[in-house]
Amino acid sequence: MTNSDSRETLEAREKLASAASSEVIIELEKVNKWYADFHVLKDIDLTVHKGERIVVCGPSGSGKSTLIRCINRLEEHQTGSIVVDGITLNKNLKNIDHIRTEVGMVFQSFNLFPHLSILENLTLGPIWTRHMPKAEARETAMMYLERVKIPEQADKFPGQLSGGQQQRVAIARSLCMSPKIMLFDEPTSALDPEMIKEVLDVMVELAETGMTMIVVTHEMGFAKTIADRVIFMDEGDVVEENEPNEFFTNPQHERTQLFLSQIL
Amino acid sequence: MAIVKLERTPARAAPLTERSVIGWMHKHLFSSALNSILTVITLYIIFITVRNLWAWGIADAVWIAESRRECFDINIGGACWAGVLAWMDNIIYGRYPREELWRLNLGLVLLAVWMAPLWLPRVKAKILIGLTVVFLYPFIAGYLFAGGDKGIFMQIMVTAAIVCLACNTVHSIIGVSGGVGLREFLIQRLGIKGSSENKQRSILLSILGLSFMAVFAWQKSWNPVGVPWTQWGGLFLTLLIAGVGIASALPGGIILALGRRSRLPVIRVLSTAFIELFRSVPLITVLFMATAMFPLFMPEGMVLNKLVQVMIAVCLFNACYMAETVRGGLQTIPKGQFEGAHTIGLGYWRTMGLIVMPQALKHMIPNIVGNFIGLLKDTTLVSIIGLFDILGMLRAVSVDITWRGLHTEPLIFGATLFFLICFVMSKYSRRLEQKLSTDHKH
């Protein structure tokens, strides 16, 4: 990391005073999950406050994606409890659909709907699950497209956009549902290097609005800029948890040290 | 030392061998001695076949004659098309009473009018129009074809179909010329644009109600003669069975495929068993079962006619084949699409209807049309269980006393007819596929 880089990070950091409040919005208690016999999540405890920004990192297969996918129940956990926005995640389908409208998610592979135009991708959720009038949904969608800086692409189809643009559309699609929490599952891992920045910029701007965010990423510069807390996972355990400055300069656990030495 | 190329290399035309006819022939037909010989032999075989076919079917053929004997007298080496022409009405309409043929033709015209808006630009609510074709057209068509007394249910459905067709047609004409729907058009014309939504709705509904009453009163006096199904036949019967099969196979197949992928074990096992049972039995067996065994399971005193039994059998059989096609299509949709839909709060049915099915169906068009073509050809099997469909009629020509022994010509005519219908379907599916894939590049 060069000097100018770290100065930039510091400046951005100053703008991004933590928005975390004392209100708890996500609470995981002793969460365990198995894929058949494979123990993916081991006794995970995690408390997230409203407005908090958390970065989850760790080697592949450590369970970090599974962890955030459990939070909006794309995956089912087997034991322990997950409470999101006051609602306990259980077999009740109504609860799940409700949680999913409150929790936005951005995937590594974008998962836009290729048969719908960008605008239709954005308005689908509000129209069908929020029962918003079409004109209003379109207005909201255009507003968010402005915010991710691609309003001119509204009538194109996802296949005609670059990866970075598609990921920004995916972020806008989630925001259209006005979620309380945003989950990011390696949002920049599938992107060409020159497109990573445009997506991260949008995410930093989102952080400035005080959104509660949990981000699984390997972009350590990004983690330093926005995170209130960095969580390091390995083999299904939360190995280390710290505020970013301390985490990067003074890692405690040897597995964290090894991981950081390999990626920095 | 750095190597820098300052000028851009301009694009040049491809060499002549890549873009001239001679170049193409050289590359594809005469690339080696062996290939040249094969090309010449193949061309010779094609030439002989076409020449003989031309001589028999066109040049030496007899078009006007009273009987097969007369054909022989005129030219014994040519085809006797006169026989096919004399039987043409039978081949197309079966033994339907000749003075009532207009009813079949009207049925076809109504179908065309009803479905035409689906291909017209600027017409809105195409899905709704498509659904009314599937759910209302059968009633008016069925009544047109069968005639006779109609019960109160049939009267209501026929009226609904007529009103719906009228609305569709007006809606489409307005749509093509003005680009608005019937609803907005009426609201503008009646000058109730400023009124509240409830008032608009009640005015429109009362217009609809009034037209329904008017048509209902009119159709009471309309009473065509009954034609029993035993007199239905020919191409009409073939298209009827195939049409019913096509219209029901896709929805049935989608339901069965979703059932087979269901998380609920009972539904999954039942769907799988049903699909596998029908797919492992030949259609002809299913047809025999339907006509011979189905009545045994019916409640005492309830008698379905053979045609209905055959139609049910064809529908179930093809729904099972379609289910496997649909399942294949569903498997091409990546898991991420489901997850993307779930994260914006769409439940199972909306995910399927808005996200998965539209994409899967697009992938499946070639297979679906392939199924339809197979279905159309398979319906000729009903001639074995005693229905006089087109194949039955074509074979009946040879037992007519005047045309005794005339086998080849009717069958060739039938083959050509089938080829034309299937070829058009397959060409259309190609076009549809291309259109949908260029609309949404990905």
Side-chain angles (χ1 to χ4, degrees):
Chain A
M1 195 141 217
T2 64
N3 271 338
S4 76
D5 258 358
S6 55
R7 189 158 6 95
E8 255 177 45
T9 311
L10 271 180
E11 276 168 17
R13 187 76 236 186
E14 271 161 24
K15 268 200 281 177
L16 273 172
S18 172
S21 69
S22 58
E23 192 185 331
V24 173
I25 194 156
I26 303 173
E27 185 144 42
L28 278 72
E29 223 170 285
K30 293 252 171 293
V31 171
N32 280 286
K33 173 162 180 66
W34 290 263
Y35 287 125
D37 272 343
F38 180 58
H39 201 170
V40 209
L41 297 179
K42 301 170 183 163
D43 288 335
I44 304 285
D45 289 312
L46 177 67
T47 307
V48 182
H49 294 97
K50 197 159 188 240
E52 207 176 2
R53 301 182 291 266
I54 292 179
V55 166
V56 185
C57 60
S60 62
S62 59
K64 49 196 194 308
S65 287
T66 311
L67 173 69
I68 68 167
R69 288 163 64 88
C70 280
I71 293 175
N72 68 349
R73 209 166 173 95
L74 285 180
E75 305 283 352
E76 237 172 272
H77 61 284
Q78 276 100 20
T79 64
S81 84
I82 302 182
V83 181
V84 179
D85 195 26
I87 300 172
T88 309
L89 286 186
N90 50 26
K91 291 246 185 271
N92 190 336
L93 283 173
K94 259 222 154 83
N95 282 354
I96 296 169
D97 281 343
H98 182 74
I99 291 285
R100 282 175 177 162
T101 59
E102 303 291 343
V103 182
M105 179 140 186
V106 175
F107 301 89
Q108 181 178 355
S109 50
F110 327 135
N111 294 347
L112 295 177
F113 308 129
H115 63 301
L116 300 177
S117 74
I118 299 304
L119 197 59
E120 288 167 331
N121 263 282
L122 266 61
T123 53
L124 192 73
I127 288 174
W128 287 91
T129 60
R130 292 248 192 261
H131 307 290
M132 198 187 264
K134 272 185 192 167
E136 195 187 331
R138 218 165 288 154
E139 244 168 68
T140 323
M142 284 313 291
M143 184 188 92
Y144 282 113
L145 278 183
E146 307 266 344
R147 245 174 80 179
V148 300
K149 303 183 195 74
I150 35 175
E152 72 282 358
Q153 312 283 4
D155 294 319
K156 291 198 182 159
F157 287 91
Q160 296 166 302
L161 269 55
S162 73
Q165 290 172 328
Q166 289 194 44
Q167 193 59 297
R168 285 186 280 158
V169 171
I171 295 174
R173 179 176 71 181
S174 290
L175 292 179
C176 279
M177 298 292 294
S178 26
K180 293 184 177 158
I181 303 161
M182 284 287 284
L183 307 173
F184 294 84
D185 190 0
E186 306 202 22
T188 56
S189 301
L191 297 178
D192 291 337
E194 73 258 39
M195 291 168 186
I196 291 178
K197 188 170 178 303
E198 63 188 50
V199 172
L200 291 183
D201 284 348
V202 166
M203 288 168 65
V204 171
E205 274 173 38
L206 183 62
E208 284 166 6
T209 65
M211 173 70 74
T212 312
M213 293 164 76
I214 303 183
V215 186
V216 173
T217 185
H218 294 145
E219 295 292 329
M220 291 304 139
F222 173 76
K224 282 179 200 168
T225 319
I226 73 140
D228 293 319
R229 210 170 359 143
V230 180
I231 291 176
F232 175 71
M233 287 184 72
D234 192 22
E235 292 179 359
D237 275 314
V238 172
V239 174
E240 191 164 340
E241 196 178 328
N242 212 336
E243 60 97 17
N245 223 353
E246 196 70 359
F247 179 85
F248 287 109
T249 52
N250 187 18
Q252 302 295 313
H253 200 286
E254 69 182 291
R255 277 191 281 179
T256 320
Q257 290 161 4
L258 182 69
F259 178 74
L260 288 177
S261 72
Q262 277 164 343
I263 64 162
L264 287 182
Chain B
M1 206 180 89
I3 300 174
V4 179
K5 187 170 186 183
L6 287 174
E7 276 165 47
R8 266 169 203 263
T9 315
R12 287 185 298 265
L16 210 56
T17 49
E18 290 298 317
R19 55 199 170 94
S20 70
V21 179
I22 305 227
W24 181 88
M25 282 171 65
H26 186 83
K27 190 171 168 187
H28 294 278
L29 297 178
F30 303 102
S31 56
S32 68
L34 181 65
N35 279 352
S36 305
I37 293 169
L38 287 177
T39 302
V40 171
I41 292 176
T42 315
L43 284 178
Y44 181 70
I45 293 173
I46 293 175
F47 168 74
I48 297 278
T49 317
V50 170
R51 191 190 61 183
N52 289 352
L53 262 183
W54 173 266
W56 177 81
I58 312 276
D60 298 341
V62 180
W63 299 87
I64 302 159
E66 289 300 312
S67 67
R68 191 153 187 246
R69 171 89 2 242
E70 210 182 315
C71 276
F72 283 158
D73 291 344
I74 296 171
N75 190 339
I76 200 164
C80 181
W81 296 121
V84 176
L85 290 177
W87 268 72
M88 192 57 87
D89 271 2
N90 288 330
I91 292 172
I92 292 177
Y93 299 109
R95 285 172 294 186
Y96 208 84
R98 288 295 171 265
E99 63 278 13
E100 300 292 326
L101 287 187
W102 63 271
R103 279 155 58 179
L104 304 189
N105 296 333
L106 180 62
L108 189 68
V109 171
L110 286 185
L111 181 64
V113 171
W114 207 318
M115 289 186 46
L118 297 177
W119 284 270
L120 291 175
R122 298 209 288 177
V123 175
K124 290 175 179 172
K126 283 188 178 162
I127 294 180
L128 191 65
I129 296 178
L131 285 177
T132 58
V133 174
V134 174
F135 289 108
L136 285 177
Y137 174 76
F139 289 101
I140 188 155
Y143 184 65
L144 256 180
F145 300 158
D149 295 326
K150 44 186 188 263
I152 184 72
F153 174 72
M154 203 58 185
Q155 292 192 18
I156 291 173
M157 291 319 284
V158 167
T159 311
I162 294 174
V163 172
C164 185
L165 175 60
C167 289
N168 267 349
T169 314
V170 176
H171 169 83
S172 317
I173 293 171
I174 295 169
V176 169
S177 51
V180 292
L182 179 60
R183 196 187 137 92
E184 295 91 49
F185 179 80
L186 280 179
I187 289 176
Q188 275 171 19
R189 275 300 142 100
L190 295 171
I192 50 171
K193 202 163 186 198
S195 318
S196 72
E197 197 137 300
N198 276 337
K199 195 179 166 198
Q200 286 178 1
R201 189 175 301 149
S202 51
I203 291 178
L204 289 178
L205 276 180
S206 49
I207 293 178
L208 195 68
L210 281 177
S211 44
F212 189 89
M213 309 265 231
V215 175
F216 190 79
W218 168 77
Q219 60 84 33
K220 264 189 180 304
S221 64
W222 179 56
N223 235 340
V225 201
V227 181
W229 67 271
T230 41
Q231 293 188 337
W232 301 10
L235 181 63
F236 157 64
L237 186 65
T238 301
L239 291 182
L240 183 71
I241 298 174
V244 171
I246 286 173
S248 61
L250 193 56
I254 289 176
I255 290 170
L256 280 173
L258 292 180
R260 192 167 185 172
R261 284 167 58 105
S262 169
R263 281 186 176 191
L264 309 170
V266 177
I267 294 182
R268 188 174 59 236
V269 169
L270 282 180
S271 310
T272 312
F274 192 74
I275 292 172
E276 292 305 331
L277 177 71
F278 272 88
R279 265 163 41 95
S280 54
V281 176
L283 177 58
I284 187 68
T285 320
V286 177
L287 288 177
F288 275 126
M289 295 256 292
T291 48
M293 291 182 60
F294 197 57
L296 300 180
F297 299 112
M298 298 301 289
E300 197 78 30
M302 184 170 170
V303 183
L304 279 178
N305 71 42
K306 200 155 139 194
L307 182 60
V308 173
Q309 289 165 6
V310 163
M311 281 183 180
I312 293 175
V314 168
C315 290
L316 293 179
F317 187 80
N318 285 292
C320 290
Y321 271 87
M322 195 58 80
E324 289 301 279
T325 308
V326 174
R327 194 165 68 97
L330 287 176
Q331 274 163 353
T332 63
I333 306 301
K335 212 173 144 220
Q337 290 292 308
F338 293 86
E339 292 179 349
H342 289 330
T343 52
I344 55 170
L346 298 179
Y348 176 80
W349 291 107
R350 284 176 185 164
T351 303
M352 283 297 168
L354 296 169
I355 308 297
V356 178
M357 275 302 164
Q359 296 184 57
L361 287 176
K362 205 164 71 190
H363 291 259
M364 293 185 292
I365 290 172
N367 290 334
I368 291 177
V369 176
N371 267 358
F372 286 168
I373 290 174
L375 196 165
L376 176 68
K377 293 187 293 180
D378 280 353
T379 52
T380 51
L381 281 174
V382 301
S383 67
I384 296 177
I385 54 165
L387 295 183
F388 278 88
D389 75 326
I390 185 167
L391 187 61
M393 280 298 162
L394 288 168
R395 295 202 311 181
V397 179
S398 67
V399 293
D400 182 355
I401 295 176
T402 15
W403 305 100
R404 185 177 292 278
L406 190 71
H407 291 289
T408 321
E409 287 85 347
L411 288 177
I412 287 189
F413 170 75
T416 317
L417 199 61
F418 268 98
F419 172 76
L420 282 178
I421 297 174
C422 296
F423 187 68
V424 168
M425 277 165 83
S426 130
K427 272 283 161 208
Y428 180 69
S429 94
R430 275 280 192 79
R431 260 202 42 207
L432 197 62
E433 208 184 324
Q434 276 164 3
K435 185 174 158 233
L436 289 175
S437 68
T438 45
D439 274 357
H440 322 297
K441 279 179 230 155
H442 55 112

